[in-house]
């Protein structure tokens, strides 16, 4: 009867919160072919049916909300404005929901009924901290359904502090260095497999994406606090019962102390490990018993001043001197202020990961020359300017992050060695004396390259030859995914930039150029897979909008200071089909900007800064209904007055914009 009725109608049926395996198998034959445009929408917590087994099923997975998405959902649910003095507390409440929409909505409704005071909101937060019920189902899936390797990845999050937002580049490199991931079929590299594991955990709603990059990729993630409590309790129960397996050995609470983590906190009682590092002097027997088999050491002591660096240095000195830490694979001291790395560091012959980002160290110890197993060396945001010549002998090195602001230079390349496994070289400094030819240009397997080129003397001819050599090197990087290239003269002003045609670089998705392009036509030879383009000081005289408009995947376009020097700019009809973010900064010659019909159809963010001659916004913006944010900074008075006047014709054209920011 139902079938006969439906055959005569076009229908939309919504089945909310059902068990797919139990219901769909019983109902699917009752519905006729949907070729007439009819649809069935099913919401479920458990997708027990393989979507590939039924061609009629299209599966759309809902992930945990990011921090920004969670806050937007909360404020939209809350039936009042969030007082400025309660915003920090409100965000902590939202963070405790772990990205689950239902608890976020529940908190919004609950706080709508309460007086907006610190006492009331703090009470709600305290009650929420102990709430784990919404996560019990996900927790049971961890022990019941999660493959062993994914369990190892998930439990690894317990090493980090609660609510800690972990950068993806850090997490992936750590997983690879730990060595507990085995490469699967079809995986191009250990990093590719690690990224796949992370996305699987995100798809299963076990890990929350806390921040995304403008290009849509994940920047940071974290383990939701309530799920963390359940996982920690599960580990402790297994320890007590003697049932610990390899999937749960990543907990810092385990007796074997394979993973040593310094969670220094001067407001809470200290653990035994913290006391060993920052307090009591322990005897040699205790040292060996506790730390002889350690595989990793991480510190999250972010105190200001020299004490944290001294404590870490003394602890490393004692442990290594008494034959502990000799199996260490990971030494991660990111954000510890100037850790005093001892000379005995040279004994860590198995070390694969050395994380010194944001430590503000001024030099590396000479003992680093013996760490020939290193896969990742991260000295970004330090004052280190000279790399040891032995860097060329680290044949396993995969990721090298440097600080371009302090001119991190390579020394001459010894004969017979090259870093053939290097995938990331970021922040390297190139001047007249840098070994580019038959040195850096032998690094041909790079995926990410960031260079700062600068002429340090009056020898501009020599520097020009270096820039040509850099261009030739880039031409050979067929695996390149991300390129940042800057060029300055001896006065630190933007200078010439050589760039080859990049049409054959089909993997390239992001490009950032600072400098005057010697061959401006090169921008018309960018590869079709580009997602993000940033140009600064390019001195283009031909409209870049006419050159870049047909790139099918371009989502972010940033034209910064003097990238374009002419008066008129035009986005052609139906151009930039996928562009989400457009930034125009300090285009001081720009007077007229035209956007033709159908251009920028998916634009969400438009930022215009210091375009002192620009007359007005293009009229066609009134049709860009996806536009969510308009930010104007340091613009002409007449320009901003049109926007500020709520009754003006111009304002009406952009009334659908959610966030308008006008700064002097």
């Amino acid at each position: 009867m139902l079938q006969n009725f439906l055959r005569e109608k076009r229908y939309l049926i919504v089945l909310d919160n059902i068990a797919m395996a139990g219901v769909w198998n019983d109902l699917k034959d009752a519905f006729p072919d949907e070729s007439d445009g009819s649809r069935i929408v099913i919401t479920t917590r458990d997708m027990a049916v393989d979507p590939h087994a039924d061609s009629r099923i299209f599966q759309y997975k809902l992930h945990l909300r990011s921090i920004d998405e969670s806050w937007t959902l909360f404020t939209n649910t809350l039936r009042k404005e969030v007082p400025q003095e309660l915003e920090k507390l409100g965000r902590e409440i939202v963070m405790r929901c772990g990205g689950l929409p239902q608890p976020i909505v529940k908190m919004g409704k609950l706080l709508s009924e309460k007086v907006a005071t610190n006492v009331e909101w703090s009470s709600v937060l305290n009650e929420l901290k102990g709430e784990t019920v919404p996560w019990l189902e996900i927790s049971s899936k961890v022990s019941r359904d999660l493959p062993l390797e994914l369990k190892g990845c998930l439990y690894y999050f317990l090493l980090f502090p609660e609510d800690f937002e972990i950068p993806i580049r850090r997490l992936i490199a750590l997983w690879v260095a730990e060595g507990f991931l085995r490469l699967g079929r079809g995986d191009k590299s250990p990093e590719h497999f690690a990224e796949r594991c992370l996305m699987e955990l995100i798809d299963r709603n076990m890990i929350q994406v806390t921040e995304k990059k403008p290009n849509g990729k994940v920047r940071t993630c974290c383990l939701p606090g309530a799920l963390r409590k359940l996982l920690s309790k599960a580990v402790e129960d297994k320890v007590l019962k003697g049932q610990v397996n390899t999937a749960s050995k990543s907990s810092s609470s385990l007796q074997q102390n394979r993973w040593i983590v310094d969670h220094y906190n001067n407001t809470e009682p200290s653990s035994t490990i913290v006391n060993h590092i920052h307090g009591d002097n322990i005897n040699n027997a205790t040292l060996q018993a506790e730390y002889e088999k350690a595989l990793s050491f991480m510190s999250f002591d972010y105190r200001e001043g020299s004490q944290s660096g001294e404590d870490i240095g003394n602890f490393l000195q004692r442990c290594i001197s008494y034959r502990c830490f000799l199996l260490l694979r990971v030494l991660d001291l990111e954000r510890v202020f100037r850790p005093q790395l001892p000379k005995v560091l040279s004994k860590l012959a198995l070390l694969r990961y050395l994380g010194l980002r944001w430590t503000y160290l001024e030099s590396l110890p000479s003992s680093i020359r013996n760490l020939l197993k290193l896969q990742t060396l991260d000295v970004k945001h330090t004052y280190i300017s000279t790399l040891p010549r032995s860097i060329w002998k680290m044949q396993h090195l995969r990721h090298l992050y440097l600080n371009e602001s302090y001119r991190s230079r390579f020394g001459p390349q010894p004969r017979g060695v090259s870093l053939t496994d290097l995938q990331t070289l970021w922040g390297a400094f190139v001047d007249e004396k840098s070994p580019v030819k038959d040195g850096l240009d032998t690094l041909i397997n790079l995926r990410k390259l960031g260079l700062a080129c600068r002429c340090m003397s009056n020898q501009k001819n020599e520097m020009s030859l270096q820039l040509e050599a850099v261009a030739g090197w880039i031409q050979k990087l067929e695996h390149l995914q991300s390129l940042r290239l800057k060029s300055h003269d001896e006065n630190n002003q933007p200078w010439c930039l050589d760039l080859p045609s990049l049409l054959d670089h089909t993997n390239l998705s992001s490009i950032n150029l600072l400098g005057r392009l010697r061959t401006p036509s090169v921008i018309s030879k960018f590869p079709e897979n580009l997602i993000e383009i940033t140009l600064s000081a390019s001195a283009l005289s031909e409209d870049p909008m006419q050159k870049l408009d047909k790139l099918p995947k371009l989502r972010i376009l940033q034209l910064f200071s003097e990238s374009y020097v002419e008066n008129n700019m035009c986005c052609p009809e139906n151009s930039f089909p996928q562009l989400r973010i457009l930034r125009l900064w300090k285009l001081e010659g720009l007077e007229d900007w035209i956007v033709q019909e159908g251009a920028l159809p998916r634009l969400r963010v438009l930022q215009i800064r210091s375009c002192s001659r620009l007359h007005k916004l293009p009229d066609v913006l009134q049709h860009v209904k996806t536009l969510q944010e308009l930010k104007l900074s340091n613009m002409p008075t007449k320009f901003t007055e049109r926007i500020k006047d709520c009754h003006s014709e111009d304002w009406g054209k952009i009334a659908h914009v959610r966030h308008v920011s006008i700064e002097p």
Side-chain angles (χ1 to χ4, degrees), residues 13-18 20 24 40-44:
I13 298 177
V14 179
L15 304 176
D16 185 36
N17 197 21
I18 69 168
M20 280 293 288
W24 179 245
I40 305 168
V41 178
I42 299 174
T43 67
T44 179

Side-chain angles (χ1 to χ4, degrees), residues 323-532:
R323 302 191 60 77
C324 300
F325 281 179
L326 299 187
L327 301 178
L328 216 62
R329 297 173 179 174
V330 168
L331 179 56
D332 191 354
L333 305 178
E334 186 164 325
R335 290 190 181 275
V336 175
F337 185 71
R338 293 189 177 174
Q340 297 182 1
L341 302 178
K343 292 181 179 180
V344 290
L345 199 71
S346 60
K347 296 183 179 180
L348 305 184
L350 301 179
L351 197 67
R352 300 174 183 173
Y353 182 101
L354 181 56
L356 301 172
R357 183 179 292 223
W358 290 109
T359 58
Y360 300 103
L361 279 175
E362 296 182 346
S363 63
L364 287 170
S366 58
S367 54
I368 197 176
R369 64 177 178 269
N370 294 326
L371 307 182
L372 299 182
K373 297 284 187 181
L374 272 183
Q375 296 177 355
T376 298
L377 175 59
D378 190 346
V379 295
K380 193 174 181 180
H381 302 298
T382 66
Y383 299 139
I384 294 169
S385 59
T386 303
L387 295 173
R389 191 176 181 185
S390 59
I391 198 85
W392 289 103
K393 298 180 180 180
M394 297 178 181
Q395 300 293 288
H396 300 279
L397 200 61
R398 304 177 68 81
H399 308 286
L400 180 57
Y401 297 96
L402 306 172
N403 192 355
E404 65 182 40
S405 300
Y406 283 85
R407 305 171 190 169
S408 299
R409 290 180 174 87
F410 273 81
Q413 181 184 18
R415 286 187 179 181
V417 295
S418 182
L419 304 176
T420 55
D421 287 344
L422 196 65
Q423 296 185 11
T424 303
L425 175 58
W426 204 256
F429 183 79
V430 172
D431 63 7
E432 299 92 325
K433 298 180 180 179
S434 298
V436 179
K437 195 72 174 175
D438 299 324
L440 292 173
D441 67 354
T442 63
L443 310 177
I444 58 172
N445 292 316
L446 292 173
R447 269 70 169 172
K448 298 180 181 180
L449 175 62
L451 295 179
C453 305
R454 182 175 175 184
C455 182
M456 298 298 292
S457 65
N458 294 324
Q459 301 173 347
K460 291 191 174 182
N461 288 337
E462 289 189 19
M463 192 61 205
S464 292
L465 293 175
Q466 288 283 64
L467 293 174
E468 291 176 11
V470 168
W473 173 26
I474 293 172
Q475 185 77 62
K476 295 188 291 184
L477 302 179
E478 60 184 36
H479 304 295
L480 197 62
Q481 299 171 4
S482 181
L483 172 65
R484 186 174 73 184
L485 188 58
K486 300 180 180 181
S487 176
H488 290 92
D489 64 16
E490 66 274 21
N491 298 316
N492 205 29
Q493 296 300 307
W495 199 48
C496 302
L497 197 60
D498 284 278
L499 193 69
S501 169
L502 299 172
L503 276 175
D504 295 333
H505 290 59
T506 56
N507 296 307
L508 190 62
S509 63
S510 175
I511 187 166
N512 186 330
L513 304 175
L514 187 155
R516 189 174 69 255
L517 291 171
R518 281 182 171 162
T519 310
S521 61
V522 75
I523 70 167
S524 62
K525 299 177 182 178
F526 282 171
E528 289 192 345
N529 288 328
L530 273 177
I531 295 173
E532 182 174 3

Side-chain angles (χ1 to χ4, degrees), residues 26 115 139 225 261 297 352 385 430 451 466 485 578-579:
D26 296 335
V115 180
S139 177
V261 186
F297 176 52
R352 300 174 183 173
S385 59
V430 172
L451 295 179
Q466 288 283 64
L485 188 58
Q578 297 296 329
L579 198 69

Side-chain angles (χ1 to χ4, degrees), residues 68-83:
D68 287 342
E69 292 166 345
S70 298
W71 182 251
T72 299
L73 179 59
F74 172 74
T75 53
N76 288 343
T77 307
L78 190 69
R79 295 193 296 272
K80 60 180 74 174
E81 292 292 324
V82 179

